[in-house]
Structures are given as structure tokens and as C-alpha cells.
């Protein structure tokens, strides 16, 4: 920890770009993948299909979306499973996914969020039966080829509809951070399109070249007293400036765009200021103990000291990007380093087994 | 022993979870505001159940305007962004309310991107 403390506040890279640790965790998030098994619903397999091969396995990026995965699934099925007659009659517009348990998968949810939601739903069943959570990997998806329940899916399965929803989420996140969407609307059209293209192409550098103009870095400690005034005369706070102005640090936003996902729904959105009234960083534990006190009771003393003689088992846990997240993690830091490509910090709540 | 014990942490957690799933019966005032050449509504304040999803708000608005399927209608919050259709009215109100209302702008053409 000592090493972190000294390097985290290193001065060298402050003015321009993003510090080493922010970039490191952003890359880990970006490179995170989940294993998926895509199986065509046996009842909908066209005649003359090559049965026994109707399964496609993929390690999909967490920050990607199902409509972006469809082309490769489609290609596999055309090449290996369907005959020509079936290939011409099937329309991708009619395709949709659900889990083995019958949960519809929404086109506009990041794949990592779909995976984590499945994990926490399974945790409830495990808690109810006091059985160990089965380590069944990958997440099994059923691909339907006909009759999409359009209303429940909310979105057409096209990449274009998904892109529109994604841009909406980027703007909503921007609005929550700063009270306006100037950072997104200030991007040139080519840059706005470039953000989506970089997700399609899974290009980390290209994504962050643009997104760093929008998403603040966690490079500095909370700006106590004067929020970044010392850098104002060095670099005007313009969104077109090459680097990230100091006032755009993750602890200077109004609120962090964050959602809590409960197993089998719903999700909860709350205002999450980066700092509490006393000026201390808003931690994950504080956030959860305020909004879900029955699952995350507040602790009498700071978490590190109380843990030693704390026999009470924790009822629930929090996953961010599939990672069991320590309660002392700071919300501003999580928002800067572990948010999805749409700028949102998704906290998924699972239950511990009895 | 197959049945979980009454006070097992697993069951305690499930009970806690259930309490957070309880539907909030409150209603929220949604104010619709036309943008550009979208038709203006005679009545533009409505009380809408807070558990409704934004998708239901869009459907309600389409019905009130007599919009047919396929006719374009774009909806925004605070003249700034389109929320995800599965977000609830309650969440949006908490985050973005203005003067005790949730303001929903609607337009026949895409505005603000």
C-alpha cells in the first residue's frame, strides 16, 4: 500500500493525459472478458441443420454488446449449421437471446453486466437452498430465431439502435457528473462515432483518446478547498485542450453515475457525490449501507479495525466488473477506473450463502 | 437436513432483498414539453406511478398524441439526453427532477444527438 500511496500522487504526469494507475485499471476493465455459450433453441433449428453443432462458444469483452456479437454468431451458424435454404430465410432482425432460466437479455446492456446479473441471480438461489454456488461456466445463452418479444426487449437488435442507446447513456452519465452534457455534445461528430467504433473494434487506445475528454481520471487526491484553481491559469478549462484539466478529476464531479443492480431486478439509481459532507471520500460501504442498510449494515468503527473481531457473516457482497469489491473502495475511483464504456459504474449485489 | 434454518444468514439476506423489491406506491408528476414542431398537448401534467419504466411513459405519450406505430417520436430528459427505456420513473425523478416535476421533452426529429 505504501508504494501505491507514493506513486499515486506523483506529480510528473498530472498536466497531460491520464496517470499510470487510472490507465492500468481502465485497461484491465477493457480487457475483461466473459465466457458465453450460444445455443440455438432446438425447437427453432431449421430443417437440414447440422445438429450437434448448434453451439457457439465465445470469450466476449465485458464492455461490448450483444448486437456487436451477432455477426460472428451469424457467420458461424451459416458456415457450419444451417443449409442454404435456411440461411436465406432467416433474418437477424428476428433473433433474440434468453438465459437457460428464461431471463430475456436486453440488447442495450453491456455483456459484462449481463454476466454479473446472472451471477447474482444464481447467488439468490444458492442462498435459498444453502447449496454452494455452482461454478458452471460459461453463461449459457439460448438464441431464438423467430418471434422476438419486441416490447420486452425494448430495442431493435440492430447495432444502430444499440449505438443510440449507448450514446444516450454516455450523455446521461455526463449530465450526472457535471449537470450538463457539454462534454459529449462538444465532441465532433467523428469523435462521437469514433467512441462507438472503438467498442466495435475493441480498440482501447482509440476509445480512451476520445473518452478521456469526457470521463475524469482519478489521478489526484480530492481537491480540498480550492478545486483545481492552481491549474486554471496554466490551461484554460476547455474541452478541446489536449490534456484533462485538473478540475476534471474524478473527485471534482457533482455525482458519479452509478447504479445498484439487485438480483432479478430492479436497479436503483442514486445521487453519489464523490465526497461526503465532512470532506472524506464516499466509499462503497457508505453508499451501500445508506441505500441497502439491511444487507450492508453500517459498522460502528472504520472497516479495517472492526474486521479483526467481527464474527457476523456478511449477508451480501458487491461485484463491479465481476470483481468482488472491497467496502473501502472509493466511489469516485471506481467511477473513473471501473466504469463501463458507457461511463456507468454498475454495482451488482449478490447474496452470501447461509 | 435439507430445509434451511429459519435464522440462517442466507434466509435473512433473502428477506432483506425482498423488502427492497417492494413496489413503491407513490406517484410522480411528469410534465411533457414539446420541442420544435411537435404538437403541444392540451394537458401536459400527468401523475404517473413511480415504478413505471420510462418505456411506459413513452407509450403513454404516444397514445396521448395519437401517434401511430412507426411514426418517429424522440423523448429526452431536461433537454439533454434520452434515458434507457428500462429505467424507472422513480429513479429518473430522484436524479433529474426540476421543481418537483420530471420534465420529459418530446420531438418528432432527433435533437441533442
Amino acid at each position: 500500500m505504501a508504494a501505491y500511496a507514493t506513486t499515486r500522487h506523483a506529480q510528473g504526469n498530472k498536466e497531460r493525459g491520464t496517470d499510470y494507475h487510472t490507465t492500468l485499471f481502465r485497461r484491465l476493465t477493457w480487457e475483461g472478458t466473459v465466457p458465453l455459450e450460444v445455443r440455438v433453441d432446438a425447437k427453432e433449428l431449421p430443417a437440414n441443420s447440422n445438429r450437434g453443432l448448434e453451439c457457439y462458444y465465445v470469450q466476449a469483452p465485458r464492455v461490448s454488446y450483444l448486437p456487436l456479437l451477432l455477426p460472428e454468431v451469424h457467420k458461424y451458424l451459416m458456415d457450419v449449421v444451417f443449409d442454404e435454404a435456411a440461411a436465406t430465410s432467416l433474418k437477424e432482425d428476428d433473433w433474440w437471446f434468453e438465459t437457460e432460466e428464461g431471463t430475456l437479455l436486453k440488447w442495450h446492456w453491456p455483456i459484462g453486466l449481463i454476466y454479473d446479473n446472472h451471477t447474482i441471480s444464481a447467488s439468490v438461489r444458492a442462498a435459498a437452498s444453502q447449496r454452494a454456488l455452482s461454478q458452471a461456466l460459461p453463461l449459457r445463452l439460448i438464441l431464438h430465431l423467430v418471434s422476438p418479444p419486441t416490447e420486452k426487449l425494448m430495442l431493435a437488435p440492430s447495432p444502430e439502435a444499440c449505438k443510440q442507446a449507448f450514446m444516450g447513456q454516455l450523455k446521461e452519465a455526463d449530465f450526472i457528473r457535471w449537470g450538463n452534457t457539454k462534454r459529449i455534445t462538444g465532441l465532433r461528430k467523428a469523435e462521437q462515432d469514433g467512441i462507438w467504433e472503438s467498442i466495435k473494434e475493441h480498440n482501447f487506445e482509440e476509445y480512451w483518446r476520445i473518452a478521456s475528454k469526457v470521463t475524469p481520471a482519478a489521478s489526484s487526491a480530492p481537491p480540498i478547498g480550492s478545486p483545481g484553481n492552481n491549474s486554471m491559469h496554466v490551461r484554460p478549462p476547455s474541452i478541446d485542450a489536449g490534456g484533462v484539466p485538473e478540475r476534471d478529476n474524478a473527485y471534482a464531479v457533482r455525482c458519479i453515475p452509478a447504479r445498484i443492480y439487485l438480483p432479478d431486478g430492479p436497479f436503483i439509481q442514486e445521487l453519489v457525490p464523490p465526497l461526503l459532507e465532512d470532506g472524506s471520500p464516499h466509499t462503497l460501504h457508505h453508499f451501500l449501507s445508506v441505500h441497502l442498510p439491511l444487507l450492508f449494515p453500517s459498522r460502528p468503527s472504520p472497516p479495517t479495525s472492526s474486521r479483526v473481531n467481527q464474527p457476523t457473516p456478511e449477508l451480501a457482497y458487491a461485484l463491479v466488473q465481476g470483481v468482488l469489491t472491497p467496502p473501502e473502495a472509493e466511489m469516485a475511483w471506481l467511477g473513473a477506473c471501473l466504469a463501463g464504456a458507457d461511463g456507468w459504474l454498475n454495482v451488482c449485489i449478490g447474496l452470501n450463502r447461509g | 437436513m435439507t430445509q434451511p434454518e429459519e435464522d440462517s444468514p442466507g434466509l435473512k439476506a433473502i428477506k432483506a432483498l425482498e423488502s427492497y423489491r417492494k413496489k413503491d406506491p407513490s406517484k410522480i408528476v411528469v410534465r411533457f414539453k414539446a420541442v420544435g414542431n411537435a404538437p403541444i398537448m392540451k394537458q401536459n401534467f400527468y401523475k404517473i406511478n413511480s415504478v413505471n419504466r420510462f418505456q411506459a411513459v413513452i407509450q403513454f405519450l404516444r397514445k396521448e398524441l395519437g401517434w401511430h406505430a412507426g411514426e418517429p417520436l424522440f423523448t429526452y430528459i431536461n433537454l439533454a439526453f434520452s434515458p434507457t427505456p428500462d429505467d424507472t420513473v422513480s429513479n429518473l425523478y430522484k436524479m433529474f427532477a426540476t421543481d418537483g416535476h420530471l420534465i420529459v421533452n418530446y420531438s418528432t426529429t432527433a435533437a441533442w444527438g
Side-chain angles (χ1 to χ4, degrees):
Chain A
M1 283 312 282
Y4 269 89
T6 48
T7 48
R8 191 178 153 194
H9 305 303
Q11 299 293 308
N13 208 6
K14 224 174 182 180
E15 186 90 73
R16 206 181 156 76
T18 309
D19 71 308
Y20 171 75
H21 284 109
T22 300
T23 305
L24 172 67
F25 282 97
R26 283 176 174 175
R27 185 175 279 280
L28 289 170
T29 300
W30 185 266
E31 299 301 343
T33 58
V34 294
L36 302 179
E37 175 193 292
V38 178
R39 179 186 296 271
V40 181
D41 184 356
K43 296 187 290 296
E44 295 170 17
L45 262 185
N48 304 321
S49 288
N50 202 343
R51 283 178 188 265
L53 292 174
E54 70 275 19
C55 249
Y56 182 70
Y57 293 91
V58 59
Q59 197 70 34
R62 284 185 158 268
V63 293
S64 190
Y65 294 85
L66 288 174
L68 300 182
L69 201 64
L70 268 189
E72 64 178 279
V73 175
H74 195 161
K75 183 174 186 313
Y76 170 82
L77 294 173
M78 293 304 171
D79 290 351
V80 179
V81 182
F82 300 157
D83 73 355
E84 264 181 44
T88 47
S89 68
L90 289 169
K91 288 201 309 273
E92 234 180 68
D93 292 357
D94 293 334
W95 295 13
W96 54 286
F97 290 102
E98 66 179 343
T99 64
E100 279 190 322
E101 293 81 21
T103 308
L104 288 187
L105 298 185
K106 290 176 189 146
W107 295 116
H108 61 288
W109 278 29
I111 290 173
L113 179 60
I114 288 173
Y115 192 90
D116 290 348
N117 256 280
H118 183 261
T119 305
I120 60 174
S121 295
S123 81
V124 176
R125 290 190 293 278
S129 60
Q130 288 188 307
R131 274 184 294 104
L133 193 55
S134 77
Q135 294 297 310
L137 290 170
L139 170 57
R140 298 201 167 93
L141 306 183
I142 297 168
L143 171 61
H144 295 279
L145 305 176
V146 288
S147 316
T150 319
E151 192 133 312
K152 286 183 184 157
L153 291 167
M154 302 195 171
L155 231 66
S158 72
E160 186 52 35
C162 190
K163 177 186 172 185
Q164 291 312 322
F166 171 81
M167 294 309 290
Q169 286 303 287
L170 268 187
K171 280 183 201 159
E172 184 172 345
D174 205 30
F175 193 92
I176 289 170
R177 281 193 211 99
W178 310 106
N180 60 58
T181 54
K182 282 182 196 153
R183 279 164 182 74
I184 297 283
T185 50
L187 294 175
R188 286 185 287 272
K189 174 80 167 65
E191 289 177 315
Q192 290 199 10
D193 293 342
I195 290 195
W196 179 247
E197 287 303 311
S198 65
I199 295 169
K200 259 168 127 171
E201 288 155 17
H202 201 63
N203 185 332
F204 175 81
E205 281 78 18
E206 180 61 9
Y207 173 83
W208 278 107
R209 188 184 66 76
I210 307 164
S212 61
K213 297 179 183 180
V214 177
T215 316
S219 49
S220 344
I224 294 158
S226 56
N229 277 341
N230 46 357
S231 73
M232 294 281 275
H233 58 269
V234 181
R235 182 184 292 283
S238 153
I239 47 166
D240 279 323
V244 181
E246 185 66 5
R247 69 187 184 94
D248 283 3
N249 102 45
Y251 292 84
V253 299
R254 289 186 176 194
C255 283
I256 295 126
R259 292 191 174 119
I260 304 174
Y261 288 80
L262 295 175
D264 305 313
F267 64 79
I268 305 166
Q269 226 168 293
E270 298 288 347
L271 294 169
V272 190
L275 303 175
L276 300 175
E277 273 178 20
D278 63 1
S280 65
H282 193 163
T283 62
L284 178 65
H285 179 70
H286 181 90
F287 177 59
L288 295 175
S289 66
V290 167
H291 299 296
L292 303 173
L294 296 175
L295 288 171
F296 297 92
S298 54
R299 296 163 173 176
S301 48
T304 39
S305 56
S306 66
R307 188 177 287 168
V308 183
N309 46 12
Q310 192 188 37
T312 338
E314 307 276 350
L315 296 179
Y317 60 87
L319 288 181
V320 177
Q321 298 288 5
V323 179
L324 202 54
T325 311
E328 58 272 27
E330 296 171 8
M331 295 302 284
W333 186 88
L334 291 171
C337 299
L338 264 65
D342 58 3
W344 284 84
L345 173 63
N346 295 319
V347 181
C348 295
I349 305 302
L351 300 190
N352 284 318
R353 182 160 64 93
Chain B
M1 191 133 161
T2 49
Q3 279 298 315
E5 289 165 46
E6 276 292 302
D7 56 348
S8 79
L11 282 192
K12 206 174 151 196
I14 288 169
K15 276 185 193 155
L17 188 61
E18 291 303 324
S19 72
Y20 294 124
R21 287 220 190 93
K22 284 214 179 83
K23 306 269 189 205
D24 173 7
S26 67
K27 291 194 173 212
I28 278 161
V29 179
V30 175
R31 185 175 175 192
F32 292 107
K33 278 186 167 180
V35 175
N37 56 3
I40 292 166
M41 298 164 86
K42 277 192 211 117
Q43 189 198 335
N44 61 359
F45 283 85
Y46 290 92
K47 278 190 172 174
I48 292 185
N49 283 329
S50 67
V51 294
N52 273 338
R53 297 190 187 278
F54 192 69
Q55 189 187 31
V57 177
I58 300 172
Q59 283 162 346
F60 174 80
L61 178 63
R62 292 188 73 96
K63 208 175 114 220
E64 287 297 309
L65 292 172
W67 244 229
H68 297 292
E71 281 185 274
L73 186 71
F74 299 86
T75 42
Y76 301 90
I77 299 287
N78 292 347
L79 298 172
F81 61 88
S82 299
T84 167
D86 50 347
D87 212 347
T88 60
V89 173
S90 142
N91 277 342
L92 293 169
Y93 179 81
K94 255 187 302 187
M95 305 295 292
F96 308 113
T98 314
D99 301 331
H101 314 132
L102 179 66
I103 298 178
V104 175
N105 313 102
Y106 59 97
S107 168
T108 55
T109 53
W112 308 289

